[in-house]
Amino acid sequence: MIPAPVMHVLATMALLCSLSLEPVTPWEPDPAEVDALARTLYGECRGCSELQQRAVAWTIFNRVDDPRFPDSVIEAITQPSQFFGYSESFPVTEELEALARDCLEDWHFERERVLEPDFLYFFGNGRIKIFSTEYGGKGERWAEE
């Protein structure tokens, strides 16, 4: 008869041997989403602060997460009559590409949320954006101080 402590060690060793030692592939954002988001940031808020640019990105993510809007970043951005600042002809600058990638990672890993999930809209004058929970700037509003 095998003593209980030895059985425990053997069972643990068997469990460890059965675990997969496959390397975990780090998550990478979809290059097409990075590209589309960077172009949208260029068109919607290139003259705004980084915080406002991040808030525009979070508006898009909030829409993707909301059942009333399309289920992907690209579909939310290209949905007719939604983001007039998006164009495939807009440039993708290194700075905006890095910001888009960073924002997508924050969204994927659920960290550093800039806007609460119910902020789905924004308006502004090219320098300042005001974000709201209802269309037309109604409902709760947030703007950078």
Short mmCIF file of all heavy atoms in Angstrom, two decimals, residues 70-136:
data_model
loop_
_atom_site.label_atom_id
_atom_site.label_comp_id
_atom_site.label_asym_id
_atom_site.label_seq_id
_atom_site.Cartn_x
_atom_site.Cartn_y
_atom_site.Cartn_z
N PRO A 70 -23.44 48.29 -34.08
CA PRO A 70 -22.73 47.15 -34.66
C PRO A 70 -21.75 46.51 -33.67
O PRO A 70 -21.31 47.14 -32.71
CB PRO A 70 -21.98 47.76 -35.84
CG PRO A 70 -22.78 48.96 -36.22
CD PRO A 70 -23.30 49.49 -34.91
N ASP A 71 -21.38 45.26 -33.96
CA ASP A 71 -20.58 44.45 -33.04
C ASP A 71 -19.07 44.50 -33.25
O ASP A 71 -18.36 43.72 -32.62
CB ASP A 71 -21.02 42.98 -33.14
CG ASP A 71 -22.42 42.78 -32.63
OD1 ASP A 71 -22.89 43.57 -31.80
OD2 ASP A 71 -23.06 41.80 -33.06
N SER A 72 -18.58 45.35 -34.12
CA SER A 72 -17.13 45.43 -34.32
C SER A 72 -16.71 46.90 -34.42
O SER A 72 -17.53 47.77 -34.74
CB SER A 72 -16.69 44.68 -35.58
OG SER A 72 -16.96 45.44 -36.73
N VAL A 73 -15.46 47.14 -34.16
CA VAL A 73 -14.93 48.51 -34.21
C VAL A 73 -15.11 49.08 -35.62
O VAL A 73 -15.60 50.20 -35.78
CB VAL A 73 -13.45 48.53 -33.78
CG1 VAL A 73 -12.81 49.88 -34.07
CG2 VAL A 73 -13.33 48.19 -32.30
N ILE A 74 -14.74 48.31 -36.62
CA ILE A 74 -14.84 48.81 -38.00
C ILE A 74 -16.29 49.07 -38.38
O ILE A 74 -16.61 50.10 -38.99
CB ILE A 74 -14.15 47.85 -38.98
CG1 ILE A 74 -12.64 47.85 -38.70
CG2 ILE A 74 -14.44 48.23 -40.42
CD1 ILE A 74 -11.85 46.82 -39.47
N GLU A 75 -17.20 48.17 -38.02
CA GLU A 75 -18.62 48.38 -38.34
C GLU A 75 -19.18 49.59 -37.60
O GLU A 75 -19.97 50.35 -38.18
CB GLU A 75 -19.43 47.14 -37.99
CG GLU A 75 -19.15 45.96 -38.90
CD GLU A 75 -19.84 44.69 -38.44
OE1 GLU A 75 -20.09 44.54 -37.22
OE2 GLU A 75 -20.10 43.85 -39.29
N ALA A 76 -18.77 49.80 -36.36
CA ALA A 76 -19.26 50.97 -35.61
C ALA A 76 -18.74 52.26 -36.23
O ALA A 76 -19.47 53.25 -36.35
CB ALA A 76 -18.83 50.88 -34.15
N ILE A 77 -17.48 52.26 -36.65
CA ILE A 77 -16.88 53.45 -37.26
C ILE A 77 -17.50 53.76 -38.61
O ILE A 77 -17.78 54.92 -38.92
CB ILE A 77 -15.35 53.26 -37.40
CG1 ILE A 77 -14.68 53.33 -36.03
CG2 ILE A 77 -14.75 54.31 -38.35
CD1 ILE A 77 -13.21 52.94 -36.03
N THR A 78 -17.74 52.74 -39.42
CA THR A 78 -18.21 52.95 -40.79
C THR A 78 -19.73 52.92 -40.91
O THR A 78 -20.25 53.07 -42.02
CB THR A 78 -17.59 51.91 -41.74
OG1 THR A 78 -17.96 50.59 -41.32
CG2 THR A 78 -16.07 52.05 -41.78
N GLN A 79 -20.44 52.76 -39.82
CA GLN A 79 -21.90 52.78 -39.87
C GLN A 79 -22.34 54.12 -40.45
O GLN A 79 -21.84 55.17 -40.04
CB GLN A 79 -22.48 52.59 -38.46
CG GLN A 79 -23.98 52.50 -38.45
CD GLN A 79 -24.53 52.31 -37.03
OE1 GLN A 79 -23.85 52.58 -36.05
NE2 GLN A 79 -25.76 51.87 -36.95
N PRO A 80 -23.24 54.13 -41.42
CA PRO A 80 -23.64 55.37 -42.07
C PRO A 80 -24.12 56.44 -41.07
O PRO A 80 -24.80 56.14 -40.10
CB PRO A 80 -24.79 54.94 -42.99
CG PRO A 80 -24.52 53.49 -43.26
CD PRO A 80 -23.92 52.96 -41.99
N SER A 81 -23.71 57.67 -41.34
CA SER A 81 -24.14 58.86 -40.58
C SER A 81 -23.73 58.84 -39.12
O SER A 81 -24.43 59.42 -38.28
CB SER A 81 -25.66 59.04 -40.70
OG SER A 81 -26.03 59.14 -42.05
N GLN A 82 -22.62 58.21 -38.78
CA GLN A 82 -22.19 58.15 -37.39
C GLN A 82 -20.92 58.95 -37.15
O GLN A 82 -20.92 59.90 -36.40
CB GLN A 82 -22.00 56.70 -36.95
CG GLN A 82 -23.27 55.88 -37.01
CD GLN A 82 -24.36 56.42 -36.13
OE1 GLN A 82 -24.15 56.67 -34.95
NE2 GLN A 82 -25.53 56.63 -36.69
N PHE A 83 -19.82 58.56 -37.76
CA PHE A 83 -18.55 59.23 -37.56
C PHE A 83 -18.14 59.90 -38.86
O PHE A 83 -17.58 59.28 -39.74
CB PHE A 83 -17.47 58.24 -37.07
CG PHE A 83 -17.75 57.71 -35.71
CD1 PHE A 83 -18.38 56.49 -35.54
CD2 PHE A 83 -17.43 58.46 -34.58
CE1 PHE A 83 -18.67 56.01 -34.27
CE2 PHE A 83 -17.72 57.99 -33.32
CZ PHE A 83 -18.34 56.76 -33.16
N PHE A 84 -18.45 61.18 -38.96
CA PHE A 84 -18.15 61.92 -40.18
C PHE A 84 -16.65 62.16 -40.33
O PHE A 84 -16.18 62.50 -41.39
CB PHE A 84 -18.92 63.24 -40.21
CG PHE A 84 -20.41 63.03 -40.27
CD1 PHE A 84 -21.19 63.24 -39.15
CD2 PHE A 84 -21.01 62.59 -41.42
CE1 PHE A 84 -22.56 63.03 -39.19
CE2 PHE A 84 -22.38 62.37 -41.48
CZ PHE A 84 -23.16 62.59 -40.36
N GLY A 85 -15.90 61.98 -39.25
CA GLY A 85 -14.46 62.18 -39.29
C GLY A 85 -13.68 61.00 -39.79
O GLY A 85 -12.46 61.05 -39.85
N TYR A 86 -14.34 59.91 -40.18
CA TYR A 86 -13.61 58.76 -40.70
C TYR A 86 -13.55 58.82 -42.22
O TYR A 86 -14.55 59.06 -42.88
CB TYR A 86 -14.28 57.44 -40.29
CG TYR A 86 -13.68 56.27 -41.03
CD1 TYR A 86 -12.44 55.76 -40.65
CD2 TYR A 86 -14.31 55.72 -42.13
CE1 TYR A 86 -11.86 54.71 -41.35
CE2 TYR A 86 -13.74 54.66 -42.83
CZ TYR A 86 -12.52 54.17 -42.44
OH TYR A 86 -11.94 53.15 -43.13
N SER A 87 -12.37 58.58 -42.75
CA SER A 87 -12.20 58.43 -44.19
C SER A 87 -11.00 57.53 -44.44
O SER A 87 -9.96 57.67 -43.77
CB SER A 87 -11.97 59.78 -44.87
OG SER A 87 -11.63 59.59 -46.23
N GLU A 88 -11.14 56.62 -45.39
CA GLU A 88 -10.01 55.75 -45.75
C GLU A 88 -8.85 56.56 -46.31
O GLU A 88 -7.72 56.09 -46.32
CB GLU A 88 -10.46 54.70 -46.76
CG GLU A 88 -11.35 53.64 -46.16
CD GLU A 88 -11.74 52.57 -47.17
OE1 GLU A 88 -11.27 52.61 -48.33
OE2 GLU A 88 -12.52 51.69 -46.79
N SER A 89 -9.13 57.79 -46.76
CA SER A 89 -8.06 58.62 -47.34
C SER A 89 -7.27 59.40 -46.28
O SER A 89 -6.24 59.98 -46.60
CB SER A 89 -8.65 59.59 -48.37
OG SER A 89 -9.49 60.53 -47.73
N PHE A 90 -7.75 59.43 -45.04
CA PHE A 90 -7.01 60.13 -43.99
C PHE A 90 -5.71 59.40 -43.69
O PHE A 90 -5.67 58.17 -43.72
CB PHE A 90 -7.83 60.25 -42.71
CG PHE A 90 -8.94 61.26 -42.78
CD1 PHE A 90 -10.03 61.14 -41.95
CD2 PHE A 90 -8.91 62.33 -43.66
CE1 PHE A 90 -11.07 62.06 -41.99
CE2 PHE A 90 -9.93 63.25 -43.71
CZ PHE A 90 -11.02 63.12 -42.88
N PRO A 91 -4.67 60.14 -43.35
CA PRO A 91 -3.39 59.50 -43.05
C PRO A 91 -3.42 58.80 -41.69
O PRO A 91 -4.21 59.16 -40.81
CB PRO A 91 -2.40 60.67 -43.03
CG PRO A 91 -3.23 61.86 -42.68
CD PRO A 91 -4.58 61.61 -43.27
N VAL A 92 -2.55 57.81 -41.55
CA VAL A 92 -2.34 57.14 -40.27
C VAL A 92 -0.97 57.58 -39.79
O VAL A 92 0.04 57.07 -40.26
CB VAL A 92 -2.42 55.61 -40.41
CG1 VAL A 92 -2.11 54.94 -39.08
CG2 VAL A 92 -3.79 55.19 -40.91
N THR A 93 -0.93 58.53 -38.86
CA THR A 93 0.35 58.99 -38.34
C THR A 93 0.86 57.98 -37.31
O THR A 93 0.08 57.21 -36.74
CB THR A 93 0.21 60.37 -37.66
OG1 THR A 93 -0.62 60.23 -36.49
CG2 THR A 93 -0.39 61.41 -38.60
N GLU A 94 2.16 57.99 -37.08
CA GLU A 94 2.74 57.09 -36.08
C GLU A 94 2.11 57.31 -34.71
O GLU A 94 1.81 56.37 -33.98
CB GLU A 94 4.25 57.32 -35.96
CG GLU A 94 5.07 56.50 -36.90
CD GLU A 94 6.56 56.67 -36.64
OE1 GLU A 94 6.99 56.58 -35.47
OE2 GLU A 94 7.28 56.88 -37.63
N GLU A 95 1.92 58.59 -34.37
CA GLU A 95 1.35 58.94 -33.06
C GLU A 95 -0.07 58.41 -32.91
O GLU A 95 -0.41 57.81 -31.88
CB GLU A 95 1.38 60.46 -32.90
CG GLU A 95 0.89 60.94 -31.55
CD GLU A 95 0.98 62.46 -31.46
OE1 GLU A 95 2.10 62.98 -31.35
OE2 GLU A 95 -0.09 63.09 -31.49
N LEU A 96 -0.91 58.61 -33.92
CA LEU A 96 -2.29 58.15 -33.82
C LEU A 96 -2.39 56.62 -33.91
O LEU A 96 -3.26 56.02 -33.28
CB LEU A 96 -3.16 58.82 -34.87
CG LEU A 96 -3.42 60.31 -34.63
CD1 LEU A 96 -4.24 60.90 -35.77
CD2 LEU A 96 -4.11 60.55 -33.29
N GLU A 97 -1.50 56.00 -34.67
CA GLU A 97 -1.48 54.54 -34.73
C GLU A 97 -1.13 53.96 -33.36
O GLU A 97 -1.77 53.02 -32.88
CB GLU A 97 -0.49 54.04 -35.77
CG GLU A 97 -0.45 52.54 -35.87
CD GLU A 97 0.53 52.03 -36.91
OE1 GLU A 97 1.41 52.79 -37.35
OE2 GLU A 97 0.40 50.85 -37.28
N ALA A 98 -0.14 54.54 -32.69
CA ALA A 98 0.25 54.07 -31.36
C ALA A 98 -0.88 54.30 -30.36
O ALA A 98 -1.17 53.43 -29.52
CB ALA A 98 1.52 54.78 -30.89
N LEU A 99 -1.55 55.44 -30.45
CA LEU A 99 -2.66 55.74 -29.56
C LEU A 99 -3.82 54.77 -29.81
O LEU A 99 -4.41 54.24 -28.86
CB LEU A 99 -3.12 57.18 -29.73
CG LEU A 99 -4.27 57.62 -28.85
CD1 LEU A 99 -3.86 57.59 -27.37
CD2 LEU A 99 -4.73 59.02 -29.24
N ALA A 100 -4.13 54.52 -31.08
CA ALA A 100 -5.21 53.58 -31.41
C ALA A 100 -4.90 52.19 -30.87
O ALA A 100 -5.76 51.54 -30.26
CB ALA A 100 -5.41 53.54 -32.92
N ARG A 101 -3.67 51.74 -31.05
CA ARG A 101 -3.25 50.42 -30.55
C ARG A 101 -3.39 50.36 -29.02
O ARG A 101 -3.92 49.41 -28.46
CB ARG A 101 -1.82 50.15 -30.97
CG ARG A 101 -1.26 48.83 -30.51
CD ARG A 101 0.15 48.60 -31.05
NE ARG A 101 0.18 48.58 -32.51
CZ ARG A 101 -0.22 47.55 -33.25
NH1 ARG A 101 -0.64 46.46 -32.66
NH2 ARG A 101 -0.17 47.60 -34.56
N ASP A 102 -2.93 51.41 -28.35
CA ASP A 102 -2.99 51.47 -26.89
C ASP A 102 -4.44 51.45 -26.40
O ASP A 102 -4.78 50.74 -25.46
CB ASP A 102 -2.25 52.71 -26.39
CG ASP A 102 -2.05 52.70 -24.89
OD1 ASP A 102 -1.56 51.67 -24.36
OD2 ASP A 102 -2.38 53.71 -24.25
N CYS A 103 -5.30 52.22 -27.06
CA CYS A 103 -6.71 52.25 -26.67
C CYS A 103 -7.38 50.89 -26.88
O CYS A 103 -8.14 50.43 -26.02
CB CYS A 103 -7.46 53.32 -27.48
SG CYS A 103 -7.06 55.02 -27.01
N LEU A 104 -7.08 50.24 -28.01
CA LEU A 104 -7.64 48.91 -28.25
C LEU A 104 -7.18 47.90 -27.19
O LEU A 104 -7.96 47.06 -26.74
CB LEU A 104 -7.27 48.42 -29.65
CG LEU A 104 -8.09 49.05 -30.78
CD1 LEU A 104 -7.39 48.92 -32.11
CD2 LEU A 104 -9.48 48.43 -30.84
N GLU A 105 -5.92 48.00 -26.79
CA GLU A 105 -5.42 47.11 -25.73
C GLU A 105 -6.12 47.40 -24.41
O GLU A 105 -6.50 46.47 -23.68
CB GLU A 105 -3.91 47.26 -25.60
CG GLU A 105 -3.15 46.65 -26.75
CD GLU A 105 -1.65 46.91 -26.71
OE1 GLU A 105 -1.16 47.57 -25.76
OE2 GLU A 105 -0.96 46.47 -27.64
N ASP A 106 -6.30 48.69 -24.08
CA ASP A 106 -7.01 49.03 -22.84
C ASP A 106 -8.42 48.45 -22.85
O ASP A 106 -8.89 47.92 -21.84
CB ASP A 106 -7.08 50.55 -22.65
CG ASP A 106 -5.76 51.16 -22.22
OD1 ASP A 106 -4.84 50.41 -21.83
OD2 ASP A 106 -5.64 52.40 -22.28
N TRP A 107 -9.10 48.54 -23.98
CA TRP A 107 -10.45 48.02 -24.10
C TRP A 107 -10.44 46.49 -23.97
O TRP A 107 -11.24 45.92 -23.22
CB TRP A 107 -11.05 48.47 -25.43
CG TRP A 107 -12.42 47.98 -25.73
CD1 TRP A 107 -13.52 48.02 -24.92
CD2 TRP A 107 -12.85 47.39 -26.96
NE1 TRP A 107 -14.61 47.50 -25.58
CE2 TRP A 107 -14.23 47.11 -26.82
CE3 TRP A 107 -12.22 47.09 -28.16
CZ2 TRP A 107 -14.97 46.54 -27.85
CZ3 TRP A 107 -12.96 46.52 -29.17
CH2 TRP A 107 -14.32 46.24 -29.01
N HIS A 108 -9.54 45.85 -24.68
CA HIS A 108 -9.47 44.38 -24.65
C HIS A 108 -9.20 43.86 -23.24
O HIS A 108 -9.82 42.88 -22.80
CB HIS A 108 -8.39 43.89 -25.61
CG HIS A 108 -8.21 42.41 -25.57
ND1 HIS A 108 -9.06 41.54 -26.23
CD2 HIS A 108 -7.29 41.64 -24.94
CE1 HIS A 108 -8.67 40.30 -25.99
NE2 HIS A 108 -7.60 40.33 -25.22
N PHE A 109 -8.28 44.50 -22.54
CA PHE A 109 -7.89 44.03 -21.21
C PHE A 109 -8.70 44.71 -20.09
O PHE A 109 -8.40 44.52 -18.92
CB PHE A 109 -6.39 44.24 -20.98
CG PHE A 109 -5.53 43.36 -21.84
CD1 PHE A 109 -4.77 43.89 -22.87
CD2 PHE A 109 -5.51 41.99 -21.63
CE1 PHE A 109 -3.98 43.08 -23.67
CE2 PHE A 109 -4.73 41.16 -22.43
CZ PHE A 109 -3.97 41.71 -23.46
N GLU A 110 -9.71 45.49 -20.48
CA GLU A 110 -10.61 46.16 -19.53
C GLU A 110 -9.85 46.98 -18.50
O GLU A 110 -10.01 46.81 -17.29
CB GLU A 110 -11.51 45.13 -18.85
CG GLU A 110 -12.39 44.39 -19.83
CD GLU A 110 -13.28 43.34 -19.19
OE1 GLU A 110 -13.27 43.22 -17.94
OE2 GLU A 110 -13.97 42.65 -19.93
N ARG A 111 -9.03 47.90 -18.99
CA ARG A 111 -8.25 48.76 -18.10
C ARG A 111 -8.32 50.21 -18.61
O ARG A 111 -8.63 50.47 -19.76
CB ARG A 111 -6.80 48.28 -18.02
CG ARG A 111 -6.09 48.35 -19.35
CD ARG A 111 -4.66 47.85 -19.27
NE ARG A 111 -4.02 48.14 -20.54
CZ ARG A 111 -3.11 47.39 -21.11
NH1 ARG A 111 -2.69 46.30 -20.50
NH2 ARG A 111 -2.59 47.72 -22.27
N GLU A 112 -8.08 51.12 -17.72
CA GLU A 112 -7.97 52.55 -18.02
C GLU A 112 -9.12 53.10 -18.87
O GLU A 112 -8.92 53.81 -19.84
CB GLU A 112 -6.62 52.86 -18.67
CG GLU A 112 -5.46 52.50 -17.76
CD GLU A 112 -4.12 52.91 -18.31
OE1 GLU A 112 -4.03 54.03 -18.86
OE2 GLU A 112 -3.17 52.12 -18.18
N ARG A 113 -10.34 52.77 -18.47
CA ARG A 113 -11.52 53.27 -19.16
C ARG A 113 -11.59 54.79 -18.98
O ARG A 113 -11.52 55.29 -17.88
CB ARG A 113 -12.77 52.61 -18.59
CG ARG A 113 -14.07 53.14 -19.15
CD ARG A 113 -15.25 52.40 -18.59
NE ARG A 113 -15.44 51.11 -19.21
CZ ARG A 113 -16.01 50.95 -20.42
NH1 ARG A 113 -16.42 51.98 -21.10
NH2 ARG A 113 -16.15 49.75 -20.92
N VAL A 114 -11.76 55.51 -20.07
CA VAL A 114 -11.84 56.97 -20.03
C VAL A 114 -13.28 57.42 -19.86
O VAL A 114 -13.55 58.41 -19.18
CB VAL A 114 -11.23 57.57 -21.32
CG1 VAL A 114 -11.44 59.07 -21.38
CG2 VAL A 114 -9.74 57.25 -21.37
N LEU A 115 -14.22 56.71 -20.48
CA LEU A 115 -15.64 57.04 -20.39
C LEU A 115 -16.42 55.84 -19.86
O LEU A 115 -16.11 54.70 -20.21
CB LEU A 115 -16.20 57.40 -21.77
CG LEU A 115 -15.80 58.70 -22.40
CD1 LEU A 115 -16.41 58.79 -23.79
CD2 LEU A 115 -16.25 59.88 -21.56
N GLU A 116 -17.44 56.12 -19.10
CA GLU A 116 -18.32 55.05 -18.64
C GLU A 116 -19.09 54.48 -19.84
O GLU A 116 -19.26 55.16 -20.86
CB GLU A 116 -19.29 55.59 -17.59
CG GLU A 116 -18.61 55.97 -16.28
CD GLU A 116 -17.83 54.81 -15.67
OE1 GLU A 116 -18.38 53.69 -15.58
OE2 GLU A 116 -16.66 55.01 -15.30
N PRO A 117 -19.58 53.25 -19.76
CA PRO A 117 -20.19 52.57 -20.90
C PRO A 117 -21.39 53.27 -21.53
O PRO A 117 -21.68 53.05 -22.70
CB PRO A 117 -20.62 51.22 -20.33
CG PRO A 117 -19.75 51.00 -19.16
CD PRO A 117 -19.46 52.36 -18.60
N ASP A 118 -22.10 54.11 -20.79
CA ASP A 118 -23.30 54.73 -21.36
C ASP A 118 -23.01 56.00 -22.16
O ASP A 118 -23.93 56.59 -22.72
CB ASP A 118 -24.34 54.99 -20.26
CG ASP A 118 -23.77 55.73 -19.06
OD1 ASP A 118 -22.54 55.78 -18.92
OD2 ASP A 118 -24.57 56.24 -18.27
N PHE A 119 -21.75 56.41 -22.28
CA PHE A 119 -21.40 57.56 -23.11
C PHE A 119 -21.19 57.07 -24.54
O PHE A 119 -20.21 56.41 -24.84
CB PHE A 119 -20.15 58.27 -22.59
CG PHE A 119 -20.44 59.14 -21.40
CD1 PHE A 119 -20.44 58.60 -20.13
CD2 PHE A 119 -20.74 60.48 -21.56
CE1 PHE A 119 -20.72 59.39 -19.03
CE2 PHE A 119 -21.03 61.28 -20.47
CZ PHE A 119 -21.02 60.73 -19.19
N LEU A 120 -22.16 57.40 -25.41
CA LEU A 120 -22.18 56.88 -26.77
C LEU A 120 -22.08 57.96 -27.84
O LEU A 120 -22.00 57.65 -29.03
CB LEU A 120 -23.47 56.09 -26.99
CG LEU A 120 -23.70 54.91 -26.04
CD1 LEU A 120 -25.13 54.39 -26.17
CD2 LEU A 120 -22.70 53.81 -26.31
N TYR A 121 -22.08 59.23 -27.45
CA TYR A 121 -22.13 60.33 -28.41
C TYR A 121 -21.15 61.43 -28.01
O TYR A 121 -20.80 61.57 -26.85
CB TYR A 121 -23.54 60.93 -28.46
CG TYR A 121 -24.60 59.88 -28.69
CD1 TYR A 121 -25.30 59.31 -27.63
CD2 TYR A 121 -24.90 59.46 -29.98
CE1 TYR A 121 -26.26 58.34 -27.84
CE2 TYR A 121 -25.86 58.48 -30.20
CZ TYR A 121 -26.53 57.93 -29.12
OH TYR A 121 -27.48 56.96 -29.33
N PHE A 122 -20.78 62.24 -28.99
CA PHE A 122 -19.96 63.42 -28.71
C PHE A 122 -20.20 64.46 -29.79
O PHE A 122 -20.69 64.17 -30.88
CB PHE A 122 -18.47 63.08 -28.59
CG PHE A 122 -17.84 62.54 -29.85
CD1 PHE A 122 -17.37 63.39 -30.84
CD2 PHE A 122 -17.71 61.18 -30.03
CE1 PHE A 122 -16.79 62.89 -31.99
CE2 PHE A 122 -17.12 60.68 -31.17
CZ PHE A 122 -16.66 61.54 -32.16
N PHE A 123 -19.87 65.68 -29.45
CA PHE A 123 -19.90 66.78 -30.41
C PHE A 123 -18.80 67.74 -29.99
O PHE A 123 -18.25 67.65 -28.90
CB PHE A 123 -21.27 67.46 -30.44
CG PHE A 123 -21.70 68.07 -29.13
CD1 PHE A 123 -21.48 69.42 -28.89
CD2 PHE A 123 -22.31 67.30 -28.15
CE1 PHE A 123 -21.86 69.98 -27.67
CE2 PHE A 123 -22.70 67.86 -26.94
CZ PHE A 123 -22.48 69.20 -26.70
N GLY A 124 -18.45 68.65 -30.86
CA GLY A 124 -17.39 69.58 -30.52
C GLY A 124 -17.08 70.54 -31.64
O GLY A 124 -17.77 70.57 -32.66
N ASN A 125 -16.01 71.30 -31.44
CA ASN A 125 -15.66 72.34 -32.40
C ASN A 125 -14.28 72.14 -33.03
O ASN A 125 -13.72 73.06 -33.60
CB ASN A 125 -15.72 73.71 -31.72
CG ASN A 125 -14.72 73.83 -30.58
OD1 ASN A 125 -13.84 72.99 -30.41
ND2 ASN A 125 -14.87 74.86 -29.78
N GLY A 126 -13.70 70.96 -32.91
CA GLY A 126 -12.38 70.70 -33.46
C GLY A 126 -11.26 70.79 -32.43
O GLY A 126 -10.19 70.25 -32.63
N ARG A 127 -11.51 71.49 -31.35
CA ARG A 127 -10.52 71.59 -30.25
C ARG A 127 -11.04 70.94 -28.99
O ARG A 127 -10.30 70.36 -28.22
CB ARG A 127 -10.20 73.06 -29.95
CG ARG A 127 -9.16 73.70 -30.84
CD ARG A 127 -8.89 75.10 -30.34
NE ARG A 127 -10.08 75.46 -29.77
CZ ARG A 127 -10.56 76.36 -28.93
NH1 ARG A 127 -10.04 77.05 -28.53
NH2 ARG A 127 -11.66 76.61 -28.43
N ILE A 128 -12.33 71.08 -28.77
CA ILE A 128 -12.96 70.57 -27.54
C ILE A 128 -14.09 69.62 -27.93
O ILE A 128 -14.90 69.92 -28.80
CB ILE A 128 -13.57 71.73 -26.71
CG1 ILE A 128 -12.51 72.76 -26.35
CG2 ILE A 128 -14.28 71.20 -25.48
CD1 ILE A 128 -11.48 72.29 -25.37
N LYS A 129 -14.14 68.48 -27.27
CA LYS A 129 -15.22 67.52 -27.47
C LYS A 129 -16.02 67.42 -26.18
O LYS A 129 -15.46 67.44 -25.09
CB LYS A 129 -14.68 66.12 -27.81
CG LYS A 129 -13.93 66.05 -29.11
CD LYS A 129 -14.87 66.12 -30.28
CE LYS A 129 -14.11 65.92 -31.58
NZ LYS A 129 -14.76 66.56 -32.69
N ILE A 130 -17.32 67.30 -26.32
CA ILE A 130 -18.22 67.09 -25.20
C ILE A 130 -18.91 65.75 -25.45
O ILE A 130 -19.46 65.52 -26.53
CB ILE A 130 -19.24 68.23 -25.05
CG1 ILE A 130 -18.49 69.54 -24.81
CG2 ILE A 130 -20.23 67.93 -23.93
CD1 ILE A 130 -19.35 70.78 -24.88
N PHE A 131 -18.86 64.88 -24.48
CA PHE A 131 -19.38 63.53 -24.60
C PHE A 131 -20.68 63.43 -23.83
O PHE A 131 -20.83 64.02 -22.76
CB PHE A 131 -18.34 62.53 -24.08
CG PHE A 131 -17.05 62.64 -24.85
CD1 PHE A 131 -16.09 63.58 -24.51
CD2 PHE A 131 -16.83 61.83 -25.94
CE1 PHE A 131 -14.92 63.71 -25.24
CE2 PHE A 131 -15.66 61.94 -26.68
CZ PHE A 131 -14.71 62.89 -26.34
N SER A 132 -21.65 62.67 -24.40
CA SER A 132 -22.96 62.59 -23.75
C SER A 132 -23.54 61.19 -23.84
O SER A 132 -23.12 60.37 -24.65
CB SER A 132 -23.93 63.60 -24.38
OG SER A 132 -24.16 63.28 -25.73
N THR A 133 -24.52 60.98 -22.99
CA THR A 133 -25.19 59.67 -22.93
C THR A 133 -26.37 59.60 -23.87
O THR A 133 -26.90 58.51 -24.10
CB THR A 133 -25.67 59.38 -21.49
OG1 THR A 133 -26.55 60.43 -21.08
CG2 THR A 133 -24.49 59.26 -20.53
N GLU A 134 -26.80 60.73 -24.42
CA GLU A 134 -27.93 60.74 -25.34
C GLU A 134 -27.58 61.56 -26.57
O GLU A 134 -26.80 62.51 -26.50
CB GLU A 134 -29.17 61.31 -24.67
CG GLU A 134 -29.70 60.46 -23.53
CD GLU A 134 -30.92 61.06 -22.87
OE1 GLU A 134 -31.71 61.73 -23.57
OE2 GLU A 134 -31.07 60.87 -21.66
N TYR A 135 -28.18 61.22 -27.68
CA TYR A 135 -27.93 61.91 -28.94
C TYR A 135 -28.27 63.40 -28.81
O TYR A 135 -29.19 63.77 -28.11
CB TYR A 135 -28.77 61.28 -30.06
CG TYR A 135 -28.53 61.92 -31.39
CD1 TYR A 135 -27.37 61.66 -32.11
CD2 TYR A 135 -29.46 62.79 -31.93
CE1 TYR A 135 -27.14 62.25 -33.33
CE2 TYR A 135 -29.24 63.38 -33.16
CZ TYR A 135 -28.08 63.12 -33.85
OH TYR A 135 -27.85 63.72 -35.06
N GLY A 136 -27.50 64.22 -29.48
CA GLY A 136 -27.74 65.66 -29.48
C GLY A 136 -27.21 66.37 -28.26
O GLY A 136 -27.62 67.50 -27.98
#
